[in-house]
């Protein structure tokens, strides 16, 4: 049996492990995040940071009024954002729109990510969640973003959450699995750390902060704790897991704060779209405007950007 299997052999052993993790100094974590948020970078480093942030974006639309036409337009922008910028990492859509996204990014490096498992609530039977995942993967999704059962986690049913994640991991096949913790509902940073470890033990390729449907969504202190968790997990299991903050990251300044946080917390190994993503819809436009301003000395203005 592997190490994760030993830890998850029973509800009691899983609880013992998760509650044996070092506690989070909430005051210290928030102060550290606040300090790093004041860092600034200039000129060539800033240009590189903007392009890196663009390359890390999961360009997202997860609205009830999403249409095939909207997805096709988003895919075109994902492939060629404009102003000489690189393609984004992925597009993220609902499972029924995966075929449109697959066609829209064909021939490019842009990957297709699909939210599944009854996003955003996660309130469905496991067989329904697995059918959702299998449908998305069969349609061509490269990545699946699943949401955990927060009700089960918050009532201490860690084994149930673990089993659901492992079942979804198996249903993904070769597709990468991002596990959404919905940190805005987890109440404490200790819970964020425990949920991060639980997801990684169960096979997550990425841990993700939020669905974007709950406030607060991504925050720097939460992302700091998640980054510390993936760093420590790599030492523990010799496996590198990615992190994806999502929701509320809208400006170039926001994005650069997260890149600084990554660099100062886990280092350059995670400054790569394979291990760090930013879930966003409006962020790309601001990055493009800042990129053009640095190249020409003037702003193009939002009227020159496509509406996401």
């Amino acid at each position: 049996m592997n190490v994760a299997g030993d830890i998850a052999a029973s509800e009691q052993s899983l609880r013992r492990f998760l509650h044996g993790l070092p506690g989070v100094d909430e005051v210290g974590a928030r102060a550290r995040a606040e300090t790093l948020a004041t860092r600034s970078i200039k000129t060539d480093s800033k240009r590189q940071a903007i392009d890196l942030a663009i390359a890390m974006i999961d360009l997202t639309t997860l609205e009830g009024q999403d249409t095939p036409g909207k997805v096709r337009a988003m895919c075109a922008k994902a492939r060629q954002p404009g102003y000489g910028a690189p393609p984004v990492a992925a597009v993220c859509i609902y499972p029924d729109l995966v075929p449109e996204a697959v066609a829209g990014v064909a021939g490019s490096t842009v990957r297709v990510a699909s939210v599944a498992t009854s996003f955003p609530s996660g309130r469905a039977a496991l067989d329904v969640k697995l059918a959702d995942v299998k449908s998305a993967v069969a349609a061509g999704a490269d990545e699946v973003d699943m949401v955990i059962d927060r009700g089960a986690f918050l009532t201490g049913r860690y084994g149930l959450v673990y089993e659901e994640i492992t079942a979804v991991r198996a249903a993904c096949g070769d597709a990468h699995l991002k596990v959404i913790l919905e940190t805005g509902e987890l109440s404490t940073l200790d819970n964020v750390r425990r949920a991060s470890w639980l997801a990684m033990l169960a096979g997550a390729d990425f841990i993700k902060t939020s669905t974007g449907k709950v406030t607060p969504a991504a925050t720097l202190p939460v992302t700091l704790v998640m980054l510390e968790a993936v760093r420590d997990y790599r030492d523990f299991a010799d496996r590198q897991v990615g992190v994806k903050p999502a929701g509320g990251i809208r400006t170039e300044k926001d994005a650069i704060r997260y890149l600084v946080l990554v660099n100062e917390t886990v280092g350059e190994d995670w400054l790569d779209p394979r291990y760090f993503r930013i879930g966003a819809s409006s962020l790309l436009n601001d990055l493009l405007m800042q990129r053009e301003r640095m190249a020409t000395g003037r702003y193009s203005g939002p009227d020159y950007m496509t509406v996401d």
Side-chain angles (χ1 to χ4, degrees), residues 119-215:
F119 178 96
S121 70
R123 310 303 306 180
L126 181 57
D127 59 345
V128 174
K129 294 179 181 181
L130 295 179
D132 207 18
V133 172
K134 291 174 183 177
S135 173
V137 172
D142 303 297
E143 303 171 356
V144 169
D145 290 28
M146 74 164 285
V147 60
I148 67 167
D149 183 336
R150 283 88 72 198
F153 178 86
L154 290 169
T155 52
R157 292 176 288 163
Y158 302 135
L160 186 153
V161 179
Y162 178 90
E163 289 167 6
E164 285 204 345
I165 297 172
T166 57
V168 172
R169 171 64 271 171
C172 284
D174 293 334
H176 280 200
L177 174 62
K178 304 194 199 83
V179 177
I180 306 169
L181 309 180
E182 197 66 290
T183 53
E185 294 183 340
L186 296 187
S187 302
T188 69
L189 293 181
D190 279 332
N191 277 340
V192 171
R193 175 167 287 172
R194 290 176 189 135
S196 297
W197 273 85
L198 180 57
M200 292 187 290
L201 289 167
D205 297 298
F206 265 79
I207 50 175
K208 177 178 171 181
T209 61
S210 325
T211 62
K213 306 297 185 183
V214 169
T215 301

XYZ file of all heavy atoms in Angstrom, residues 119-215:
715
model
N -20.705 21.277 -10.347
C -20.193 22.619 -10.067
C -21.355 23.608 -10.051
O -22.254 23.515 -10.896
C -19.207 22.980 -11.175
C -18.610 24.353 -11.080
C -17.385 24.551 -10.485
C -19.271 25.449 -11.611
C -16.816 25.816 -10.416
C -18.712 26.713 -11.545
C -17.487 26.887 -10.941
N -21.396 24.606 -9.164
C -20.401 24.909 -8.139
C -20.708 24.322 -6.762
O -19.878 24.432 -5.869
C -20.468 26.442 -8.075
C -21.902 26.751 -8.333
C -22.370 25.711 -9.340
N -21.878 23.737 -6.569
C -22.255 23.308 -5.222
C -21.630 21.988 -4.817
O -21.348 21.752 -3.645
C -23.783 23.187 -5.119
O -24.242 22.073 -5.881
N -21.436 21.079 -5.792
C -20.966 19.748 -5.468
C -22.028 18.895 -4.800
O -21.732 17.824 -4.265
N -23.269 19.333 -4.844
C -24.341 18.617 -4.159
C -25.028 17.655 -5.123
O -26.035 17.961 -5.744
C -25.386 19.583 -3.593
C -24.853 20.740 -2.779
C -24.018 20.320 -1.606
N -24.701 19.380 -0.729
C -24.160 18.876 0.365
N -22.915 19.187 0.687
N -24.842 18.044 1.108
N -24.458 16.488 -5.246
C -25.045 15.448 -6.104
C -24.470 14.105 -5.694
O -23.422 14.024 -5.038
C -24.739 15.731 -7.578
N -25.164 13.039 -6.075
C -24.669 11.696 -5.788
C -23.387 11.443 -6.575
O -23.165 12.019 -7.650
C -25.736 10.669 -6.160
N -22.541 10.559 -6.055
C -21.249 10.308 -6.680
C -21.398 9.808 -8.112
O -20.618 10.216 -8.988
C -20.445 9.301 -5.857
C -19.049 8.955 -6.388
C -18.182 10.194 -6.539
C -18.371 7.927 -5.479
N -22.384 8.952 -8.384
C -22.516 8.446 -9.749
C -22.864 9.567 -10.726
O -22.443 9.545 -11.888
C -23.538 7.306 -9.819
C -24.926 7.705 -9.357
O -25.080 8.760 -8.714
O -25.883 6.944 -9.638
N -23.597 10.567 -10.254
C -23.910 11.723 -11.101
C -22.641 12.537 -11.367
O -22.384 12.964 -12.491
C -24.988 12.605 -10.436
C -25.214 13.889 -11.238
C -26.290 11.840 -10.283
N -21.844 12.738 -10.328
C -20.595 13.477 -10.485
C -19.652 12.766 -11.457
O -19.029 13.398 -12.321
C -19.907 13.643 -9.127
C -20.675 14.512 -8.136
C -19.929 14.611 -6.813
C -20.690 15.443 -5.810
N -19.981 15.589 -4.522
N -19.551 11.465 -11.319
C -18.648 10.711 -12.188
C -19.127 10.733 -13.636
O -18.316 10.797 -14.567
C -18.512 9.274 -11.689
C -17.853 9.115 -10.317
C -17.790 7.640 -9.927
C -16.461 9.728 -10.298
N -20.443 10.680 -13.831
C -20.979 10.773 -15.192
C -20.641 12.126 -15.809
O -20.307 12.225 -16.999
C -22.488 10.563 -15.166
N -20.710 13.174 -14.996
C -20.356 14.526 -15.436
C -18.892 14.564 -15.909
O -18.568 15.108 -16.971
C -20.552 15.470 -14.246
C -20.870 16.900 -14.642
O -21.281 17.134 -15.785
O -20.722 17.784 -13.772
N -18.019 13.960 -15.108
C -16.590 13.937 -15.437
C -16.336 13.133 -16.706
O -15.625 13.574 -17.619
C -15.781 13.342 -14.268
C -14.324 13.128 -14.670
C -15.871 14.243 -13.048
N -16.903 11.932 -16.765
C -16.669 11.066 -17.925
C -17.183 11.700 -19.203
O -16.567 11.556 -20.272
C -17.326 9.706 -17.684
C -16.635 8.893 -16.605
C -17.390 7.609 -16.294
C -16.736 6.827 -15.166
N -17.503 5.614 -14.799
N -18.291 12.405 -19.118
C -18.829 13.096 -20.293
C -17.868 14.174 -20.780
O -17.605 14.288 -21.991
C -20.181 13.722 -19.942
O -20.660 14.530 -21.001
N -17.317 14.950 -19.851
C -16.387 16.022 -20.237
C -15.117 15.451 -20.847
O -14.617 15.949 -21.866
C -16.053 16.876 -19.012
N -14.578 14.400 -20.238
C -13.338 13.797 -20.740
C -13.564 13.151 -22.104
O -12.743 13.281 -23.017
C -12.786 12.786 -19.725
C -11.609 12.015 -20.305
C -12.374 13.495 -18.434
N -14.706 12.474 -22.265
C -15.011 11.835 -23.548
C -15.141 12.871 -24.660
O -14.822 12.589 -25.828
C -16.295 11.020 -23.435
N -15.588 14.084 -24.293
C -15.744 15.146 -25.294
C -14.419 15.833 -25.613
O -14.372 16.668 -26.518
C -16.758 16.167 -24.807
N -13.348 15.496 -24.877
C -12.043 16.034 -25.211
C -11.415 16.947 -24.179
O -10.376 17.558 -24.460
N -11.996 17.051 -22.966
C -11.393 17.918 -21.940
C -10.021 17.393 -21.535
O -9.850 16.197 -21.291
C -12.306 17.999 -20.725
N -9.051 18.291 -21.479
C -7.698 17.947 -21.036
C -7.581 18.001 -19.521
O -6.693 17.379 -18.936
C -6.672 18.939 -21.611
C -6.708 18.994 -23.121
O -6.423 17.962 -23.755
O -7.020 20.077 -23.667
N -8.450 18.793 -18.905
C -8.391 19.017 -17.466
C -9.805 19.062 -16.907
O -10.734 19.527 -17.588
C -7.682 20.350 -17.158
C -6.277 20.435 -17.732
C -5.641 21.804 -17.624
O -6.334 22.742 -17.157
O -4.467 21.944 -18.011
N -9.964 18.584 -15.682
C -11.249 18.628 -14.996
C -11.073 19.390 -13.693
O -10.156 19.108 -12.916
C -11.773 17.205 -14.707
C -12.968 17.257 -13.761
C -12.158 16.506 -16.008
N -11.941 20.370 -13.471
C -11.957 21.115 -12.210
C -13.151 20.618 -11.401
O -14.296 20.914 -11.738
C -12.088 22.614 -12.467
C -10.846 23.235 -13.088
O -10.115 22.517 -13.804
O -10.619 24.439 -12.880
N -12.886 19.843 -10.357
C -13.965 19.319 -9.514
C -14.054 20.134 -8.226
O -13.090 20.767 -7.810
C -13.734 17.858 -9.151
C -12.653 17.613 -8.108
S -12.706 15.953 -7.357
C -14.106 16.099 -6.245
N -15.225 20.118 -7.608
C -15.417 20.821 -6.352
C -15.686 19.802 -5.252
O -16.410 18.823 -5.461
C -16.560 21.851 -6.474
C -17.874 21.203 -6.827
C -16.682 22.685 -5.215
N -15.045 20.004 -4.098
C -15.237 19.042 -3.018
C -16.587 19.270 -2.333
O -17.195 20.334 -2.446
C -14.108 19.108 -1.965
C -14.131 20.443 -1.195
C -12.753 18.860 -2.593
C -13.250 20.440 0.062
N -17.014 18.270 -1.603
C -18.213 18.362 -0.770
C -17.814 19.079 0.518
O -17.270 18.480 1.441
C -18.730 16.946 -0.487
C -20.021 16.934 0.317
O -20.298 17.921 1.034
O -20.744 15.915 0.239
N -18.066 20.392 0.572
C -17.666 21.158 1.750
C -18.466 20.762 2.977
O -17.950 20.795 4.097
C -17.825 22.663 1.514
C -16.719 23.255 0.647
C -17.029 23.168 -0.822
N -18.082 24.092 -1.205
C -18.784 23.978 -2.331
N -18.566 22.978 -3.162
N -19.723 24.865 -2.631
N -19.713 20.353 2.787
C -20.504 19.910 3.930
C -19.873 18.706 4.593
O -19.782 18.624 5.827
N -19.399 17.758 3.776
C -18.742 16.569 4.331
C -17.438 16.962 5.015
O -17.135 16.490 6.120
C -18.484 15.551 3.229
N -16.668 17.822 4.384
C -15.386 18.216 4.978
C -15.595 18.925 6.311
O -14.930 18.609 7.307
C -14.610 19.131 4.025
C -13.309 19.610 4.588
C -12.160 18.840 4.465
C -13.222 20.824 5.271
C -10.952 19.263 5.019
C -12.025 21.254 5.825
C -10.887 20.467 5.696
N -16.524 19.872 6.364
C -16.709 20.678 7.564
C -17.309 19.884 8.721
O -17.189 20.294 9.881
C -17.583 21.902 7.247
C -16.911 22.961 6.358
C -17.912 23.988 5.880
C -15.759 23.649 7.104
N -17.942 18.755 8.418
C -18.456 17.896 9.488
C -17.504 16.741 9.794
O -17.862 15.791 10.490
C -19.853 17.349 9.127
O -19.818 16.732 7.833
C -20.887 18.457 9.133
N -16.288 16.837 9.252
C -15.250 15.881 9.607
C -15.322 14.551 8.893
O -14.616 13.607 9.280
N -16.112 14.455 7.832
C -16.194 13.194 7.085
C -15.112 13.185 6.002
O -15.379 13.164 4.807
C -17.592 13.031 6.493
C -18.679 12.798 7.553
C -20.064 12.750 6.944
N -20.494 14.080 6.524
C -21.502 14.321 5.686
N -22.167 13.294 5.152
N -21.837 15.546 5.371
N -13.880 13.172 6.448
C -12.746 13.270 5.542
C -12.651 12.069 4.606
O -12.236 12.201 3.455
C -11.452 13.415 6.337
C -11.417 14.603 7.262
C -10.956 14.482 8.571
C -11.828 15.865 6.835
C -10.906 15.576 9.427
C -11.783 16.964 7.683
C -11.332 16.811 8.979
O -11.290 17.890 9.821
N -13.015 10.911 5.101
C -12.951 9.714 4.265
C -13.862 9.815 3.060
O -13.497 9.388 1.956
N -15.040 10.378 3.246
C -15.979 10.538 2.130
C -15.384 11.473 1.079
O -15.457 11.196 -0.127
C -17.309 11.089 2.646
C -18.473 11.182 1.648
C -19.813 11.079 2.389
C -18.440 12.484 0.842
N -14.806 12.590 1.527
C -14.199 13.539 0.581
C -13.041 12.874 -0.154
O -12.908 13.005 -1.385
C -13.722 14.807 1.314
C -13.077 15.785 0.331
C -14.886 15.480 2.042
N -12.214 12.150 0.583
C -11.079 11.443 -0.016
C -11.557 10.453 -1.078
O -11.009 10.399 -2.192
C -10.298 10.720 1.080
C -9.117 9.917 0.592
C -7.851 10.491 0.488
C -9.260 8.579 0.220
C -6.763 9.762 0.032
C -8.176 7.841 -0.233
C -6.935 8.435 -0.329
O -5.867 7.697 -0.780
N -12.569 9.665 -0.746
C -13.056 8.653 -1.683
C -13.649 9.284 -2.935
O -13.477 8.755 -4.049
C -14.091 7.773 -0.987
C -13.477 6.853 0.069
C -14.513 6.206 0.965
O -15.724 6.390 0.693
O -14.120 5.522 1.926
N -14.340 10.410 -2.784
C -14.898 11.079 -3.964
C -13.782 11.594 -4.874
O -13.854 11.463 -6.096
C -15.822 12.221 -3.547
C -17.167 11.758 -3.020
C -18.244 12.826 -3.152
O -17.915 14.009 -3.389
O -19.434 12.458 -3.032
N -12.753 12.176 -4.276
C -11.652 12.695 -5.094
C -10.941 11.553 -5.813
O -10.627 11.653 -7.013
C -10.660 13.513 -4.253
C -11.345 14.738 -3.661
C -9.467 13.953 -5.114
C -10.494 15.502 -2.658
N -10.678 10.457 -5.119
C -9.992 9.336 -5.771
C -10.851 8.744 -6.885
O -10.322 8.338 -7.927
C -9.621 8.239 -4.751
O -10.796 7.786 -4.062
C -8.616 8.745 -3.749
N -12.162 8.703 -6.698
C -13.050 8.186 -7.747
C -13.046 9.109 -8.961
O -13.015 8.645 -10.112
C -14.472 8.024 -7.205
N -13.057 10.419 -8.713
C -13.004 11.375 -9.821
C -11.645 11.299 -10.517
O -11.568 11.343 -11.752
C -13.293 12.806 -9.319
C -13.042 13.832 -10.422
C -14.730 12.914 -8.826
N -10.579 11.155 -9.727
C -9.245 11.014 -10.314
C -9.210 9.831 -11.273
O -8.662 9.923 -12.379
C -8.237 10.827 -9.165
C -6.820 10.450 -9.513
C -6.083 11.481 -10.300
N -6.284 11.284 -11.731
C -5.909 12.104 -12.680
N -5.300 13.222 -12.395
N -6.134 11.834 -13.946
N -9.815 8.707 -10.886
C -9.847 7.533 -11.753
C -10.678 7.800 -13.002
O -10.314 7.387 -14.109
C -10.409 6.341 -10.988
N -11.794 8.507 -12.854
C -12.664 8.801 -13.998
C -12.011 9.759 -14.980
O -12.360 9.787 -16.164
C -13.992 9.386 -13.506
N -11.050 10.555 -14.509
C -10.365 11.519 -15.385
C -9.452 10.835 -16.392
O -9.145 11.428 -17.444
C -9.542 12.497 -14.548
S -10.494 13.764 -13.714
N -8.980 9.625 -16.088
C -8.034 8.984 -16.987
C -6.780 9.814 -17.127
O -6.128 10.140 -16.135
N -6.440 10.194 -18.359
C -5.231 10.979 -18.608
C -5.430 12.479 -18.374
O -4.459 13.242 -18.421
C -4.748 10.764 -20.048
C -4.248 9.344 -20.280
O -3.812 8.702 -19.307
O -4.317 8.873 -21.438
N -6.664 12.907 -18.164
C -6.916 14.333 -17.929
C -6.408 14.734 -16.553
O -6.463 13.957 -15.602
C -8.410 14.631 -18.038
N -5.898 15.938 -16.443
C -5.433 16.452 -15.156
C -6.628 16.824 -14.281
O -7.656 17.299 -14.781
C -4.542 17.676 -15.353
C -3.147 17.330 -15.741
N -2.090 18.192 -15.589
C -2.627 16.200 -16.267
C -0.981 17.616 -16.016
N -1.285 16.408 -16.431
N -6.462 16.649 -12.980
C -7.538 16.947 -12.035
C -7.160 18.135 -11.160
O -6.147 18.115 -10.464
C -7.818 15.731 -11.150
C -8.829 15.959 -10.012
C -10.209 16.328 -10.573
C -8.922 14.727 -9.123
N -7.995 19.179 -11.207
C -7.872 20.302 -10.285
C -8.994 20.172 -9.258
O -10.165 20.048 -9.632
C -7.993 21.637 -11.011
C -7.017 21.853 -12.163
C -7.025 23.336 -12.541
C -6.478 23.593 -13.920
N -7.488 23.394 -14.989
N -8.637 20.206 -7.988
C -9.615 20.050 -6.918
C -9.896 21.413 -6.291
O -8.986 22.052 -5.741
C -9.128 19.050 -5.859
C -10.135 18.964 -4.712
C -8.929 17.672 -6.478
N -11.149 21.856 -6.386
C -11.559 23.165 -5.869
C -11.966 23.005 -4.405
O -12.878 22.233 -4.082
C -12.741 23.731 -6.673
C -12.422 23.764 -8.173
C -13.099 25.123 -6.169
C -13.625 24.061 -9.052
N -11.309 23.763 -3.539
C -11.573 23.665 -2.106
C -12.710 24.572 -1.650
O -13.275 24.364 -0.589
C -10.306 24.010 -1.319
C -9.020 23.271 -1.724
C -7.862 23.721 -0.844
C -9.208 21.761 -1.654
N -13.025 25.585 -2.426
C -13.978 26.644 -2.057
C -13.606 27.199 -0.680
O -14.320 27.088 0.310
C -15.418 26.136 -2.079
C -16.465 27.256 -2.123
C -16.416 28.055 -3.428
O -15.432 28.802 -3.644
O -17.362 27.939 -4.228
N -12.432 27.817 -0.639
C -11.841 28.254 0.619
C -12.677 29.300 1.350
O -12.571 29.427 2.572
C -10.424 28.808 0.376
O -10.477 29.824 -0.645
C -9.500 27.695 -0.083
N -13.504 30.034 0.619
C -14.374 31.020 1.267
C -15.374 30.393 2.213
O -15.953 31.094 3.057
N -15.599 29.086 2.083
C -16.533 28.390 2.959
C -15.825 27.530 4.019
O -16.500 26.857 4.802
C -17.475 27.509 2.132
C -18.390 28.304 1.228
C -19.380 27.441 0.464
O -19.155 26.221 0.315
O -20.387 28.007 -0.011
N -14.501 27.555 4.044
C -13.771 26.681 4.970
C -13.460 27.325 6.319
O -12.949 26.655 7.216
C -12.472 26.184 4.319
C -12.651 25.304 3.081
C -11.304 24.746 2.634
C -13.640 24.172 3.330
N -13.753 28.599 6.466
C -13.719 29.317 7.748
C -12.328 29.644 8.273
O -12.087 30.764 8.726
C -14.488 28.552 8.844
O -15.817 28.341 8.455
N -11.400 28.704 8.292
C -10.091 28.946 8.894
C -8.971 28.526 7.963
O -9.151 27.666 7.092
C -9.925 28.162 10.215
O -9.841 26.762 9.928
C -11.077 28.431 11.171
N -7.796 29.097 8.177
C -6.632 28.700 7.388
C -6.168 27.300 7.763
O -5.572 26.601 6.935
C -5.499 29.714 7.561
C -5.754 31.116 6.971
C -4.541 32.020 7.186
C -6.102 31.041 5.495
N -6.414 26.856 8.984
C -6.131 25.462 9.340
C -6.944 24.519 8.462
O -6.437 23.491 7.991
C -6.455 25.197 10.813
C -5.357 25.659 11.754
O -4.179 25.676 11.327
O -5.666 26.004 12.901
N -8.219 24.853 8.226
C -9.044 24.029 7.345
C -8.537 24.058 5.910
O -8.600 23.048 5.197
C -10.505 24.487 7.386
C -11.263 23.893 8.558
O -10.868 22.885 9.130
N -12.372 24.527 8.913
N -8.031 25.214 5.474
C -7.465 25.307 4.121
C -6.267 24.361 3.996
O -6.122 23.646 3.001
C -7.052 26.756 3.795
C -6.267 26.818 2.487
C -8.283 27.655 3.721
N -5.409 24.353 5.010
C -4.244 23.458 4.977
C -4.702 21.996 4.955
O -4.193 21.186 4.175
C -3.333 23.728 6.168
C -2.157 22.753 6.273
C -1.107 23.229 7.260
N -0.367 24.354 6.710
C 0.518 25.077 7.406
N 0.746 24.796 8.679
N 1.171 26.078 6.833
N -5.657 21.635 5.809
C -6.115 20.245 5.855
C -6.763 19.836 4.532
O -6.508 18.740 4.016
C -7.114 20.064 7.001
C -6.495 20.163 8.377
C -7.538 20.084 9.465
N -6.946 20.398 10.768
C -7.486 21.206 11.669
N -8.660 21.786 11.421
N -6.872 21.426 12.814
N -7.596 20.711 3.975
C -8.255 20.390 2.706
C -7.235 20.258 1.579
O -7.379 19.413 0.684
C -9.289 21.457 2.367
N -6.203 21.080 1.604
C -5.147 20.998 0.587
C -4.463 19.642 0.647
O -4.278 18.967 -0.380
C -4.119 22.116 0.802
O -4.699 23.392 0.652
N -4.063 19.225 1.840
C -3.404 17.937 1.994
C -4.336 16.786 1.643
O -3.923 15.808 1.002
C -2.883 17.788 3.431
C -1.525 18.367 3.614
C -1.214 19.680 3.881
C -0.281 17.674 3.522
N 0.148 19.840 3.968
C 0.755 18.625 3.764
C 0.077 16.359 3.288
C 2.102 18.283 3.757
C 1.431 16.010 3.289
C 2.426 16.961 3.514
N -5.581 16.881 2.035
C -6.547 15.827 1.720
C -6.671 15.650 0.214
O -6.651 14.515 -0.303
C -7.902 16.182 2.333
C -9.054 15.203 2.128
C -8.716 13.817 2.653
C -10.320 15.739 2.798
N -6.782 16.761 -0.516
C -6.906 16.697 -1.972
C -5.660 16.106 -2.612
O -5.746 15.290 -3.541
C -7.184 18.090 -2.534
N -4.487 16.486 -2.125
C -3.246 15.975 -2.705
C -3.062 14.493 -2.409
O -2.645 13.722 -3.283
C -2.064 16.803 -2.193
C -2.070 18.230 -2.709
S -0.590 19.197 -2.281
C -0.801 19.418 -0.523
N -3.372 14.090 -1.191
C -3.283 12.661 -0.853
C -4.194 11.824 -1.741
O -3.879 10.676 -2.083
C -3.657 12.448 0.612
C -2.651 12.946 1.654
C -3.290 12.949 3.038
C -1.378 12.089 1.646
N -5.329 12.396 -2.143
C -6.302 11.676 -2.962
C -5.974 11.706 -4.451
O -6.671 11.073 -5.244
C -7.703 12.245 -2.729
N -4.920 12.454 -4.851
C -4.483 12.401 -6.236
C -4.635 13.659 -7.052
O -4.450 13.631 -8.278
N -4.948 14.794 -6.424
C -5.094 16.044 -7.173
C -3.801 16.412 -7.887
O -2.714 16.285 -7.335
C -5.493 17.176 -6.231
N -3.928 16.873 -9.136
C -2.793 17.437 -9.863
C -2.627 18.918 -9.541
O -1.528 19.463 -9.644
C -2.985 17.264 -11.370
C -3.025 15.799 -11.775
O -2.021 15.102 -11.558
O -4.067 15.351 -12.290
N -3.737 19.578 -9.217
C -3.766 20.973 -8.799
C -4.725 21.091 -7.626
O -5.695 20.336 -7.533
C -4.330 21.865 -9.919
C -3.319 22.519 -10.807
C -2.703 21.798 -11.819
C -3.001 23.865 -10.669
C -1.787 22.398 -12.664
C -2.083 24.477 -11.514
C -1.471 23.740 -12.511
N -4.474 22.051 -6.748
C -5.483 22.467 -5.783
C -5.874 23.900 -6.131
O -5.026 24.727 -6.447
C -5.010 22.329 -4.332
C -3.643 22.981 -4.105
C -4.980 20.862 -3.923
C -3.187 22.974 -2.641
N -7.158 24.175 -6.077
C -7.711 25.436 -6.569
C -8.515 26.091 -5.450
O -9.233 25.412 -4.713
C -8.594 25.146 -7.789
C -9.319 26.335 -8.396
C -10.113 25.877 -9.622
C -11.025 26.967 -10.156
N -11.821 26.507 -11.332
N -8.409 27.396 -5.334
C -9.059 28.085 -4.220
C -10.576 28.037 -4.290
O -11.229 27.703 -3.302
C -8.640 29.566 -4.158
O -9.033 30.229 -5.375
C -7.152 29.715 -3.943
N -11.141 28.377 -5.449
C -12.541 28.791 -5.457
C -13.259 28.468 -6.754
O -12.633 28.290 -7.799
C -12.622 30.322 -5.258
O -11.628 30.800 -4.398
N -14.579 28.470 -6.651
C -15.416 28.383 -7.846
C -15.597 29.757 -8.492
O -15.978 29.862 -9.647
C -16.811 27.850 -7.499
O -17.448 28.763 -6.581
C -16.751 26.465 -6.886
N -15.352 30.809 -7.723
C -15.647 32.155 -8.192
C -17.074 32.562 -7.913
O -17.465 33.687 -8.216
N -17.844 31.658 -7.313
C -19.256 31.923 -7.030
C -19.498 32.262 -5.558
O -20.628 32.535 -5.167
C -20.111 30.705 -7.398
C -19.922 30.211 -8.825
C -20.337 31.228 -9.862
C -20.238 30.655 -11.277
N -20.584 31.662 -12.312
N -18.445 32.217 -4.750
C -18.550 32.464 -3.312
C -17.578 33.575 -2.932
O -16.463 33.625 -3.447
C -18.226 31.181 -2.507
C -18.072 31.488 -1.020
C -19.309 30.129 -2.723
N -18.005 34.456 -2.036
C -17.153 35.535 -1.543
C -16.764 35.245 -0.093
O -17.622 34.898 0.710
C -17.893 36.879 -1.612
O -18.277 37.131 -2.971
C -17.014 38.018 -1.149
